[in-house]
Amino acid sequence: MPDVQEVFRVATQKVRPDPGALERQQDQQRRHTTRRRAGAYALAAALFAAIAVVAVRAAVDSSGPKDVGTQPSRSTPIVPTAGPVGTVTADGTTCSIDFATADAIVPGFVVFEAVNDTDARAMFDSWVLSDGYTFGAFERAVRRDVRFAEEDQGAWPGDDEVTYLRSDVIPAHSSGTIAVPMSTGIHAITCLKPYEGQGLRPYGIAGPITVP
């Protein structure tokens, strides 16, 4: 039978702590705290970025005219250093173009001088015609649209016939330089004016503008 004092000594003997245990526990606590802080910072950064994107989109969508028959441009491209290849004039009755040079127009941003010779703001819409769709057909479609617009209706070529490029608004009795992204093909610029209850709608067409 073991000695009672020996049993008591063994039972009450203090266990020496593992060397370095306290330091390891503190390190684990610090790493856990660091990970929590990093996660909180990442979440805050993601929320901030999302709010910024929403704010920018809201500002962009709220800019530009909203009362047009075609989709307005969302931004104005950087105008190249090359001078205008021609002048597009809107006088409220006709939409015409005078080419400044006989040189071939190369693909890229093509510069035009847009002149608004009316008492109200005017819009210049740029289009590219699909293969097989002629400028004459587009011209007839614009004339039809004018008649229907005066009757509070509308008629316009389909997406398989013409492709919208951009819009530029010029104030009354003023002019401005516009740069249109043009690829190889036949292009046209339509002039728009206000129609009562319908905003701006096309009434004339300038072209054809050929990019070889």
Side-chain angles (χ1 to χ4, degrees), residues 8-161:
F8 180 78
R9 185 186 65 79
V10 172
T12 58
Q13 185 180 20
K14 293 183 180 180
V15 179
R16 296 177 61 85
D18 184 16
L22 180 61
E23 289 77 3
R24 288 196 297 273
Q25 183 179 12
Q26 290 175 344
D27 288 342
Q28 290 177 353
Q29 290 176 345
R30 281 195 293 267
R31 286 196 296 270
H32 180 68
T33 301
T34 301
R35 284 196 297 268
R36 283 196 307 173
R37 288 179 180 176
Y41 292 152
L43 178 61
L47 290 174
F48 180 79
I51 293 173
V53 169
V54 171
V56 170
R57 287 183 177 176
V60 170
D61 290 341
S62 64
S63 64
K66 299 296 182 183
D67 57 346
V68 298
T70 54
Q71 178 186 2
S73 297
R74 295 305 184 192
S75 62
T76 300
I78 298 175
V79 177
T81 56
V85 300
T87 301
V88 182
T89 302
D91 63 9
T93 303
T94 60
C95 179
S96 60
I97 184 170
D98 293 322
F99 289 100
T101 176
D103 296 337
I105 300 174
V106 298
F109 280 107
V110 181
V111 182
F112 297 89
E113 184 79 10
V115 177
N116 177 12
D117 194 16
T118 72
D119 296 328
R121 65 181 179 136
M123 179 175 281
F124 298 81
D125 277 1
S126 304
W127 304 84
V128 58
L129 282 59
S130 301
D131 292 339
Y133 189 74
T134 65
F135 178 82
F138 195 13
E139 194 172 27
R140 289 190 294 273
V142 172
R143 288 200 296 266
R144 288 197 309 270
D145 191 77
V146 170
R147 292 196 301 271
F148 288 137
E150 293 171 348
E151 299 171 2
D152 196 22
Q153 299 181 44
W156 198 251
D159 293 340
D160 58 336
E161 296 171 321

